[in-house]
Amino acid sequence: MGKTSAVAARSATVRLVDEQGASGKVRQIFDDIKKTKNLDHVPNFWRVLATSPAHLELIWGQLKALMHPEATGRTSKLDAKTREIIALAVSATNGCSYCVNSHTTALRKQGVDSETLGEVLAIVALFNGTNSLADGYQIEPDVLPPVE
Amino acid sequence: MGKTSAVAARSATVRLVDEQGASGKVRQIFDDIKKTKNLDHVPNFWRVLATSPAHLELIWGQLKALMHPEATGRTSKLDAKTREIIALAVSATNGCSYCVNSHTTALRKQGVDSETLGEVLAIVALFNGTNSLADGYQIEPDVLPPVE
Amino acid sequence: MGKTSAVAARSATVRLVDEQGASGKVRQIFDDIKKTKNLDHVPNFWRVLATSPAHLELIWGQLKALMHPEATGRTSKLDAKTREIIALAVSATNGCSYCVNSHTTALRKQGVDSETLGEVLAIVALFNGTNSLADGYQIEPDVLPPVE
Amino acid sequence: MGKTSAVAARSATVRLVDEQGASGKVRQIFDDIKKTKNLDHVPNFWRVLATSPAHLELIWGQLKALMHPEATGRTSKLDAKTREIIALAVSATNGCSYCVNSHTTALRKQGVDSETLGEVLAIVALFNGTNSLADGYQIEPDVLPPVE
Amino acid sequence: MGKTSAVAARSATVRLVDEQGASGKVRQIFDDIKKTKNLDHVPNFWRVLATSPAHLELIWGQLKALMHPEATGRTSKLDAKTREIIALAVSATNGCSYCVNSHTTALRKQGVDSETLGEVLAIVALFNGTNSLADGYQIEPDVLPPVE
Amino acid sequence: MGKTSAVAARSATVRLVDEQGASGKVRQIFDDIKKTKNLDHVPNFWRVLATSPAHLELIWGQLKALMHPEATGRTSKLDAKTREIIALAVSATNGCSYCVNSHTTALRKQGVDSETLGEVLAIVALFNGTNSLADGYQIEPDVLPPVE
């Protein structure tokens, strides 16, 4: 079973747009989000962006193209699990609470177990560490990709 | 007058340890690095860490276990390409020059082409963006992973 | 057994200094903060810094000079709204909860509406993304400012 | 004694796409970039992204909409100078070399002088500092925007 | 109107492992953590990592070696207080709530008072600021360590 | 084939102010910097900030108070080596090239050897890693400092 979410502590700096009241472009995008992501409600992230419809449209467009390529007629060289692993790696590095929860949920839905999650995050931790070492010593790059 | 460009490019804050002169624990670790990574020379990163042998040992131990699990008798739920993708995602997010070069090289060695590299980095960019949006609006998490 | 939820939501690692009990330098600075910012209470940020009065003084001095230049006899080339936009951009990028709330409040007080807030944060997101792309590809700068 | 400077300066992990050879979608986008930005050459950033045309298209689309709204029939509540100030604030915070150069150039083209540039960056520095203080003390937000 | 803050906020994306039920390697590591850190319970951080025992082992091994060197037969050139100051400086810079709480606690246990804590964090803030200035102006390094 | 190295190394986005030509407030501050830091030339960082004298003054004032307290009649609870360790820890975490060079130099001047430098940076790396783990798992803080 899920986790309680009875009251939010942390809460948005804007008032979330209600699904019920949405119309026009916002309604269209809300419906597209639910359809594309196979959800029965619109997540908070999109309800917040809906306070500025032009930007909701831009950002959903970008995320849909990259994370749901098949829904936009695009090809992708990565599978959905890898895309979500990248999302979690970036979000853990940046410490974004909303995003870590969201992408961990997505990975669980894809059957990722606790050992795999542990491995992903241990590697994220390793490279956050080695990044600071390489920068902390100002090491000159010598392992360079071939550029024909 | 214009800007001077007489400045040395980036170089390490310590003197890199030479392979030839290495002995004892440093020699052992240098050999292990080359063997494990199938290289004929020791990359700068490890030559720099070798200025403090105890820490070279700790960090190589960690990286070998996580990035070359088979060489340490460990199992892994991720393939090598996915591990390097995580490494690149973190390194691009943190802007670490040494590491971006190193992990891009590793991905090329695994046959990753420019469209795939573009896809990985576009997704990294997308989430660096959405992380700052979620934090910029202080959105309360509602997409939560199941915790039994 | 499940997870504990007995932990208080976020709260400071030090005890906030009460306005009523403040005296000496701390009292002076508290009064100056309220007067300069036109507030009837001292925000938590300053009550926390007051646990180390010397540092409260240094940091308030810096912030007053840069964010309330007219109160320190300085000129400024930016207007107050632009200064707060910069503050929000940095705070969203760094994911600082206190600061995002504080600067969003300041922008609302200046009449910034939700579309404008959305535009600011969408641009913040765009550049957090393109920064990671430029670093992720290690692109050599070619668009350089003139340096006479 | 000093340090060696025999190392190559920073350069991209992919081969920049030449303008002359470009065709199809890449050619179209290159032309649109030059036209929209009033340039006679395509900056390195876009030549690098062109190694993966689908992603060049997505990212240019996003940047054009947000930074050149008039060219896409959009309205904007911010002026061009403010948009570039946000870009520089984020880029300085993230330490992106390409981007800092690019956006400083854009600001200079808009007539921003050295004192104004100094003011922008001093405010960026101030908030990078106060962000770390607010987080370093885990201060509970009390200055909250009105949410009707 | 204000915002509610009545409920526990943040909670882990995995179910914390109970001490009572732990066995095998996890039990051994839990006991070692309590013994090394002189605690009567296992902190949440380690109970979470225990969801992936292989990674609990790797990370505890690294932290024990670096933060409790005497327990691993290592020498250290820094004292415990300095090690914890570094931990807090990094954690405040990255805005990690768990870690800021944990390392502030450790410093208090070592007798660090509020003025000292204020001084540490004021210096952390100063350099987060000057880092963004140095990067924001792309200043070429000229104060270089001697490299013999 | 390798990569071109025809690109200029990193250099400032403004023209460094010459010491010889400096007068008025800038001259005073330049002299104070050299005297306080016991240098015979003014480092690039300050020559760049001098392009906006008001901000040079603010930033030097802050740094002098925190890093050279004795020169401003202040007391300090930390020694100079610890202050520079904090500076390096933050700068390595943020990947600031100028600052890493500058603070490594300062530490070398204080007699810090390569093993100690390695220990400092290994601890910086460790916590950059554990920060991303704590955030990546959204672990609820339970090790809390006493707040009387």
Side-chain angles (χ1 to χ4, degrees):
Chain A
M1 213 185 77
K3 50 170 54 127
T4 67
S5 61
V7 172
R10 176 198 187 87
S11 75
T13 58
V14 292
R15 187 165 176 269
L16 276 58
V17 172
D18 287 328
E19 286 191 51
Q20 280 69 27
S23 62
K25 179 191 298 183
V26 172
R27 156 72 64 195
Q28 275 183 344
I29 293 171
F30 277 0
D31 289 345
D32 193 32
I33 289 168
K34 286 188 290 186
K35 179 176 168 208
T36 306
K37 291 179 167 291
N38 194 24
L39 298 169
D40 60 7
H41 72 287
V42 178
N44 286 352
F45 181 79
W46 304 106
R47 292 178 60 198
V48 162
L49 292 190
T51 56
S52 188
H55 302 105
L56 169 67
E57 184 176 34
L58 276 174
I59 293 153
W60 169 241
Q62 199 80 337
L63 189 135
K64 185 181 180 185
L66 287 166
M67 297 303 279
H68 303 279
E70 64 298 333
T72 63
R74 291 179 150 78
T75 57
S76 163
K77 301 290 184 75
L78 306 171
D79 61 21
K81 189 170 87 171
T82 304
R83 294 194 294 262
E84 288 292 345
I85 283 175
I86 295 171
L88 179 61
V90 171
S91 303
T93 298
N94 286 328
C96 175
S97 293
Y98 188 93
C99 313
V100 162
N101 271 294
S102 168
H103 299 294
T104 304
T105 303
L107 283 172
R108 289 301 201 178
K109 276 186 182 168
Q110 296 190 15
V112 165
D113 64 12
S114 293
E115 284 74 35
T116 308
L117 181 63
E119 189 173 359
V120 169
L121 291 176
I123 293 173
V124 168
L126 173 70
F127 288 105
N128 269 285
T130 55
N131 284 177
S132 69
L133 271 168
D135 280 342
Y137 275 116
Q138 289 290 294
I139 308 175
E140 54 266 49
D142 63 328
V143 182
L144 308 173
V147 176
E148 328 87 31
Chain B
M1 208 184 76
K3 49 174 47 137
T4 65
S5 59
V7 177
R10 175 194 191 88
S11 76
T13 58
V14 293
R15 188 165 177 270
L16 277 57
V17 172
D18 287 329
E19 287 191 50
Q20 280 69 25
S23 62
K25 179 190 299 182
V26 172
R27 156 71 64 196
Q28 275 182 346
I29 293 170
F30 277 2
D31 289 344
D32 193 32
I33 289 169
K34 286 189 289 186
K35 178 175 168 211
T36 307
K37 292 179 166 290
N38 194 25
L39 298 169
D40 60 7
H41 72 288
V42 177
N44 285 352
F45 181 78
W46 304 106
R47 291 178 60 197
V48 162
L49 292 189
T51 56
S52 188
H55 303 104
L56 169 69
E57 184 175 35
L58 276 174
I59 294 154
W60 170 241
Q62 200 81 335
L63 190 135
K64 185 180 179 184
L66 287 166
M67 298 302 279
H68 303 279
E70 64 298 331
T72 63
R74 292 178 150 78
T75 57
S76 165
K77 301 290 184 76
L78 307 170
D79 61 20
K81 189 170 87 172
T82 304
R83 294 194 293 260
E84 287 292 344
I85 283 174
I86 295 171
L88 178 62
V90 171
S91 304
T93 298
N94 287 327
C96 176
S97 292
Y98 187 93
C99 313
V100 163
N101 271 294
S102 170
H103 299 294
T104 306
T105 303
L107 283 172
R108 290 300 203 179
K109 277 185 183 169
Q110 295 190 16
V112 164
D113 64 11
S114 293
E115 283 73 36
T116 310
L117 181 63
E119 188 173 0
V120 170
L121 292 176
I123 293 173
V124 168
L126 173 69
F127 288 104
N128 270 286
T130 55
N131 284 177
S132 68
L133 271 167
D135 279 343
Y137 276 116
Q138 290 290 293
I139 309 174
E140 53 266 50
D142 63 328
V143 182
L144 308 174
V147 176
E148 328 86 33
Chain C
M1 211 185 76
K3 51 172 46 128
T4 66
S5 60
V7 176
R10 183 192 187 86
S11 74
T13 58
V14 292
R15 187 164 177 271
L16 277 59
V17 171
D18 287 329
E19 285 191 51
Q20 280 67 29
S23 63
K25 180 190 297 183
V26 172
R27 155 71 64 196
Q28 275 182 343
I29 293 170
F30 277 1
D31 288 346
D32 193 33
I33 289 169
K34 287 188 291 187
K35 178 176 169 212
T36 306
K37 289 179 167 293
N38 194 23
L39 298 170
D40 60 7
H41 72 287
V42 177
N44 285 352
F45 181 79
W46 305 106
R47 292 178 60 196
V48 161
L49 291 190
T51 55
S52 187
H55 302 104
L56 169 68
E57 184 176 35
L58 276 175
I59 293 153
W60 170 241
Q62 200 79 337
L63 190 135
K64 185 181 180 185
L66 286 166
M67 297 303 279
H68 303 280
E70 65 298 332
T72 62
R74 290 179 151 78
T75 56
S76 164
K77 300 290 184 77
L78 307 171
D79 61 20
K81 189 170 87 170
T82 304
R83 292 194 295 262
E84 287 292 344
I85 284 175
I86 295 171
L88 179 61
V90 171
S91 303
T93 298
N94 287 328
C96 176
S97 293
Y98 187 92
C99 312
V100 162
N101 271 294
S102 169
H103 299 293
T104 305
T105 303
L107 282 173
R108 289 300 202 179
K109 278 187 179 166
Q110 295 189 15
V112 164
D113 65 11
S114 292
E115 283 73 35
T116 308
L117 180 63
E119 188 173 359
V120 169
L121 291 176
I123 293 173
V124 168
L126 173 69
F127 288 104
N128 269 286
T130 55
N131 284 176
S132 68
L133 271 166
D135 280 342
Y137 275 116
Q138 289 290 292
I139 308 174
E140 55 265 51
D142 63 328
V143 182
L144 308 174
V147 176
E148 329 86 30
Chain D
M1 215 185 73
K3 49 174 47 137
T4 66
S5 61
V7 176
R10 177 196 189 87
S11 75
T13 57
V14 293
R15 186 165 177 268
L16 278 57
V17 172
D18 287 329
E19 286 191 51
Q20 280 69 27
S23 61
K25 178 190 299 181
V26 172
R27 155 73 63 197
Q28 276 182 343
I29 293 170
F30 277 0
D31 289 345
D32 193 32
I33 289 168
K34 287 189 289 187
K35 178 176 170 208
T36 306
K37 292 179 166 292
N38 194 25
L39 298 170
D40 59 7
H41 72 288
V42 177
N44 285 353
F45 181 79
W46 304 106
R47 291 178 60 197
V48 162
L49 291 190
T51 55
S52 188
H55 303 105
L56 169 69
E57 183 175 35
L58 275 174
I59 294 153
W60 169 241
Q62 199 81 336
L63 190 135
K64 184 181 180 185
L66 287 166
M67 298 302 279
H68 302 279
E70 65 297 333
T72 62
R74 292 179 150 77
T75 57
S76 164
K77 301 289 185 76
L78 307 171
D79 61 20
K81 189 170 87 171
T82 304
R83 293 194 295 259
E84 287 293 344
I85 283 175
I86 296 170
L88 179 61
V90 171
S91 303
T93 298
N94 287 328
C96 176
S97 294
Y98 187 92
C99 313
V100 163
N101 271 294
S102 170
H103 299 294
T104 304
T105 303
L107 283 172
R108 289 301 202 178
K109 278 184 181 169
Q110 296 191 14
V112 165
D113 64 12
S114 292
E115 283 73 35
T116 309
L117 181 63
E119 188 173 359
V120 169
L121 291 176
I123 293 173
V124 169
L126 172 70
F127 288 105
N128 269 285
T130 54
N131 285 176
S132 68
L133 271 167
D135 280 343
Y137 276 116
Q138 289 290 293
I139 308 174
E140 54 265 51
D142 62 328
V143 182
L144 307 174
V147 176
E148 331 85 30
Chain E
M1 212 184 75
K3 49 175 50 135
T4 66
S5 61
V7 172
R10 182 190 187 91
S11 75
T13 58
V14 293
R15 188 167 174 268
L16 276 60
V17 172
D18 286 328
E19 286 191 50
Q20 281 68 28
S23 62
K25 180 190 296 181
V26 172
R27 155 72 63 197
Q28 277 183 341
I29 292 171
F30 276 0
D31 288 345
D32 193 32
I33 289 168
K34 287 188 291 186
K35 177 174 170 214
T36 306
K37 289 178 167 292
N38 194 25
L39 298 170
D40 59 7
H41 73 288
V42 178
N44 285 353
F45 181 80
W46 304 107
R47 292 178 61 196
V48 162
L49 292 191
T51 55
S52 187
H55 302 106
L56 169 69
E57 183 176 34
L58 275 174
I59 294 154
W60 170 242
Q62 200 79 339
L63 190 135
K64 185 181 180 185
L66 286 166
M67 298 302 279
H68 303 279
E70 64 298 334
T72 63
R74 292 179 150 78
T75 58
S76 165
K77 300 290 185 77
L78 307 171
D79 61 20
K81 189 170 87 171
T82 304
R83 293 195 294 262
E84 287 293 344
I85 283 175
I86 295 171
L88 179 60
V90 171
S91 304
T93 297
N94 286 328
C96 176
S97 294
Y98 187 93
C99 312
V100 163
N101 272 293
S102 170
H103 298 292
T104 305
T105 304
L107 283 172
R108 290 300 202 179
K109 278 186 180 168
Q110 294 190 15
V112 165
D113 64 11
S114 293
E115 283 74 34
T116 309
L117 181 62
E119 187 173 0
V120 169
L121 292 176
I123 293 173
V124 168
L126 172 70
F127 288 105
N128 269 287
T130 54
N131 284 177
S132 68
L133 271 167
D135 279 343
Y137 275 115
Q138 289 290 293
I139 308 174
E140 54 265 49
D142 63 328
V143 182
L144 308 173
V147 176
E148 330 86 31
Chain F
M1 209 185 80
K3 49 173 46 134
T4 66
S5 62
V7 176
R10 178 196 190 86
S11 75
T13 58
V14 293
R15 186 165 177 271
L16 277 58
V17 172
D18 287 329
E19 286 192 51
Q20 280 69 28
S23 62
K25 179 189 300 182
V26 173
R27 156 71 64 197
Q28 276 182 343
I29 293 170
F30 277 2
D31 288 345
D32 192 34
I33 289 168
K34 286 187 291 185
K35 178 176 170 213
T36 306
K37 291 179 167 291
N38 194 23
L39 297 169
D40 59 7
H41 72 288
V42 177
N44 285 354
F45 181 78
W46 304 106
R47 292 178 60 196
V48 161
L49 291 191
T51 55
S52 188
H55 302 106
L56 169 69
E57 184 175 34
L58 276 174
I59 294 154
W60 169 240
Q62 200 81 336
L63 190 135
K64 184 181 179 184
L66 288 166
M67 298 303 279
H68 303 279
E70 64 299 332
T72 63
R74 293 178 148 78
T75 58
S76 164
K77 301 289 186 75
L78 307 170
D79 61 19
K81 189 170 87 171
T82 305
R83 293 194 295 261
E84 287 293 344
I85 283 174
I86 296 171
L88 179 62
V90 172
S91 303
T93 298
N94 287 327
C96 177
S97 293
Y98 187 93
C99 314
V100 162
N101 272 294
S102 170
H103 299 294
T104 305
T105 303
L107 284 171
R108 290 299 203 180
K109 277 186 181 166
Q110 295 190 14
V112 165
D113 64 10
S114 293
E115 283 74 33
T116 310
L117 181 64
E119 188 173 359
V120 169
L121 291 176
I123 293 173
V124 168
L126 173 69
F127 289 105
N128 269 286
T130 54
N131 285 177
S132 68
L133 270 167
D135 280 342
Y137 275 116
Q138 290 290 294
I139 308 174
E140 54 264 52
D142 63 329
V143 182
L144 309 173
V147 177
E148 329 85 32

